[in-house]
Amino acid sequence: MSDYGHDLVFGSFVTPSGGNPDRTVGVAVLAEQVGLDLVTFQDHPYQPAFLDTWTLLSFVAARTSRVHVAANVTNLPLRPPAVLARSVASLDLLSGGRVSLGLGAGAFWDAIEAMGGRRLTPGQGVRALEEAIEIIRQLWDAEARGGVRVDGEFYRVVGAKRGPAPAHAVPIWLGAYKPRMLQLTGRRADGWLPSLGYLQPSDLAKGNATIDEAAQQAGRSPRDVRRLLNISGQFSAVGSGPLNGPAEQWVQELVELALGEGVSTFILASDDPDDLRRFAGEVAPAVRELVAAERDRGAAPERESAPEPVAAPPVRPSRATVTGGAFAVVPTPDDGVRRSDQDVWDESTRPTGPVPDPNRTYTPHEQATGQHLVQIHDGLRAELAQIHDLIEQVAAGEIDAGVARSHINTMTMRQNRWTLGVYCESYCRIVTTHHTIEDQSLFPRLRARDPRLGPVVDRLEQEHHVIHDVLEGVDRALVAYVGSPDGLAELRAAVDLLTDALLSHLSYEERELVEPLARLGIG
């Protein structure tokens, strides 16, 4: 088992097609809107059907505000390293620290040579790449004295002025498969970025071992190297192969890659908007949740000081750290506030579980699972608040729309509606996935360990079905809203009902389960 303990990152691998530039950029912008952390593009400067990757990265960075961007991977033989270093640093400064640098030694040498590049053997390509990394790092080290000096076999930079320094510590990822490239990754790089389709079943484990050994020989920790992976597949109702099946199958396979092979960044190669929405809305949250739960159970190694993450992980409010002794995890109380005049269930009929033993003590490890459940619920509560905020922004935009600016406001509202629809759709999928995990994994274990919890678990499962129906109502309201300017009231009512049901349910679940999770030792 090789879990390096890095925060999980999810991204997209978009084809830089020049045939429809607006669509190419639109798919990249969508990646940010649905909640992905990273957008990448292949870099083949000799391909006339593609947009130039660095021009495209700059354009996408200007059209977005949060998502990180990278070439996957940069074609070094056609990108002089000194100029490339300044390009990366400049875009990182302009984008507020959102650039990563993927590098490759080169392939398709006939095409490279046709564009004026120098043909290299595999061994020469590795040596040239190592020289390039040294040049790039020296140019970024703007505080060091003197100019850049690398008098290499393939690149000669003697006295070039340093700078500009990037806005953040730009990670360098290498697209590597062969032993010499893997050893270079361990010695000098911040990440390993292969494509799953080019790997044999044992190649990830062998590659990790080679990188780890090279890192240790260079005086580094294996955790200094993030493990990234380009993936591709198909979402379908029935599984028919690796990453070909329902979202639940994707979740299981990616969790195994994260915990068993150390992969912490998954980059989906797809230009299909529906694939990106499902990957961001259904797969990513569930993988994060399951990996975090497994790490809380002690499956992951002790966390060390890790390199700066590729992208900031989603913010999740947390409760105070617990210590051994009395049970200290505080369930979130139900404040009794209701937004809707509808009742989806009778709260007075909810069963309760056994009363906790007041004399029992709990270790911090036992309390961690209940605390984690509260943190997951806090994330759902925070995102629910964002939905309300988005709706109010949309409502304010409609109220402020003036006749003289009707055309502009119509365009803005179309974008607002589409963004709100994507956000609500993604949120509904997150809630559904979370409930599915509970129904299929957590609840059966609780029922088996303490039969007295049976009525509580039964009621929670029933409420999951009710919430599913309420979510379907939100979907219907979204359809009505996008199709009609008068649909905002219906959408507001549907989200209010969802808010009442979900907040009440989450509080009830925490009240009844946080202590049993600790007492029964369920992770």
Side-chain angles (χ1 to χ4, degrees):
M1 196 167 194
S2 300
D3 178 11
Y4 299 91
H6 296 135
D7 294 321
L8 297 187
V9 172
F10 295 84
S12 63
F13 192 3
V14 181
T15 306
S17 174
N20 189 342
D22 288 342
R23 186 182 188 281
T24 299
V25 173
V27 172
V29 172
L30 174 65
E32 173 172 273
Q33 292 172 331
V34 299
L36 292 176
D37 310 300
L38 176 68
V39 173
T40 71
F41 300 95
Q42 55 188 290
D43 181 33
H44 295 290
Y46 38 75
Q47 173 53 267
F50 287 171
L51 298 168
D52 174 70
T53 295
W54 273 100
T55 306
L56 178 58
L57 288 171
S58 300
F59 194 86
V60 169
R63 287 285 305 273
T64 55
S65 60
R66 179 192 58 80
V67 74
H68 285 225
V69 298
N72 190 349
V73 289
T74 305
N75 189 294
L76 182 63
L78 292 175
R79 309 275 186 188
V83 177
L84 177 62
R86 292 209 166 115
S87 298
V88 173
S90 298
L91 185 55
D92 197 55
L93 289 164
L94 291 168
S95 66
R98 294 190 287 125
V99 179
S100 301
L101 177 57
L103 281 176
F108 306 103
W109 290 103
D110 288 343
I112 289 172
E113 200 169 32
M115 287 284 289
R118 177 182 175 184
R119 182 185 293 269
L120 301 176
T121 67
Q124 289 174 330
V126 175
R127 298 198 300 275
L129 178 55
E130 186 159 17
E131 291 177 8
I133 292 173
E134 180 62 25
I135 292 169
I136 291 167
R137 292 200 189 280
Q138 285 196 32
L139 272 162
W140 288 346
D141 188 7
E143 298 301 319
R145 300 184 63 180
V148 176
R149 294 193 175 275
V150 176
D151 190 2
E153 179 184 358
F154 303 95
Y155 299 109
R156 186 172 185 270
V157 180
V158 182
K161 295 186 181 298
R162 298 173 184 267
H168 83 305
V170 173
I172 295 178
W173 307 327
L174 300 188
Y177 298 91
K178 300 298 183 180
R180 281 177 293 191
M181 281 288 288
L182 293 168
Q183 291 163 3
L184 175 59
T185 302
R187 290 195 309 270
R188 301 299 307 273
D190 305 300
W192 177 32
L193 177 52
S195 295
L196 185 59
Y198 295 156
L199 298 173
Q200 297 300 315
S202 62
D203 284 351
L204 281 173
K206 292 178 181 177
N208 280 332
T210 301
I211 291 169
D212 292 352
E213 181 180 359
Q216 291 167 340
Q217 290 177 351
R220 311 175 72 204
S221 166
R223 292 197 67 250
D224 291 342
V225 184
R226 175 179 283 271
R227 316 303 158 112
L228 308 93
L229 190 63
N230 293 319
I231 61 173
S232 60
Q234 182 175 347
F235 289 103
S236 57
V238 180
S240 58
L243 294 181
N244 192 332
E248 292 80 4
Q249 177 185 329
W250 282 61
V251 170
Q252 180 181 356
E253 292 178 14
L254 296 192
V255 167
E256 291 173 356
L257 287 168
L259 296 174
E261 305 290 355
V263 179
S264 57
T265 298
F266 296 97
I267 304 173
L268 177 62
S270 177
D271 301 325
D272 187 332
D274 288 337
D275 284 350
L276 297 184
R277 293 188 184 104
R278 297 199 69 178
F279 187 58
E282 298 180 51
V283 176
V287 173
R288 283 194 171 105
E289 183 173 337
L290 290 175
V291 169
E294 198 66 22
R295 287 172 173 173
D296 285 344
R297 293 176 59 190
E302 288 293 322
R303 297 279 181 110
E304 304 173 14
S305 175
E308 186 170 338
V310 175
V315 176
R316 293 290 184 261
S318 61
R319 305 299 167 99
T321 302
V322 296
T323 58
F327 191 73
V329 181
V330 180
T332 306
D334 186 343
D335 60 11
V337 175
R338 298 293 181 264
R339 295 170 174 262
S340 174
D341 56 4
Q342 298 183 53
D343 293 321
V344 293
W345 49 54
D346 184 353
E347 295 178 10
S348 66
T349 62
R350 282 171 166 164
T352 58
V355 178
D357 180 357
N359 297 318
R360 192 191 191 285
T361 60
Y362 305 82
T363 67
H365 181 73
E366 288 174 326
Q367 298 183 65
T369 302
Q371 186 180 34
H372 181 61
L373 178 67
V374 173
Q375 290 170 343
I376 292 171
H377 286 181
D378 281 347
L380 294 176
R381 294 183 184 100
E383 290 177 340
L384 189 58
Q386 290 180 46
I387 291 180
H388 284 283
D389 182 61
L390 281 171
I391 291 174
E392 295 311 314
Q393 291 180 42
V394 172
E398 288 187 343
I399 292 171
D400 292 339
V403 175
R405 300 175 63 192
S406 61
H407 178 65
I408 296 176
N409 282 331
T410 298
M411 293 176 62
T412 302
M413 289 310 303
R414 283 177 180 169
Q415 180 63 32
N416 284 347
R417 291 178 184 187
W418 185 82
T419 303
L420 177 63
V422 168
Y423 190 95
C424 291
E425 178 187 13
S426 298
Y427 181 76
C428 293
R429 286 175 171 168
I430 290 170
V431 172
T432 301
T433 302
H434 173 66
H435 284 172
T436 299
I437 292 170
E438 290 184 331
D439 292 341
Q440 295 181 356
S441 177
L442 179 64
F443 289 172
R445 296 168 70 186
L446 285 168
R447 188 185 283 110
R449 297 278 184 90
D450 189 346
R452 295 176 298 173
L453 290 170
V456 171
V457 170
D458 290 342
R459 175 61 184 249
L460 289 171
E461 289 178 337
Q462 293 169 9
E463 292 190 4
H464 285 177
H465 291 294
V466 174
I467 291 174
H468 174 76
D469 292 340
V470 175
L471 290 170
E472 290 293 319
V474 173
D475 285 339
R476 289 193 295 272
L478 280 167
V479 173
Y481 174 59
V482 172
S484 168
D486 301 323
L488 184 62
E490 180 182 350
L491 177 58
R492 265 209 185 103
V495 174
D496 283 347
L497 183 60
L498 172 63
T499 301
D500 290 350
L502 188 60
L503 294 183
S504 170
H505 171 78
L506 296 179
S507 293
Y508 171 53
E509 183 173 291
E510 289 176 24
R511 186 189 77 196
E512 296 299 326
L513 295 190
V514 289
E515 189 278 335
L517 287 172
R519 172 168 52 85
L520 301 174
I522 295 176

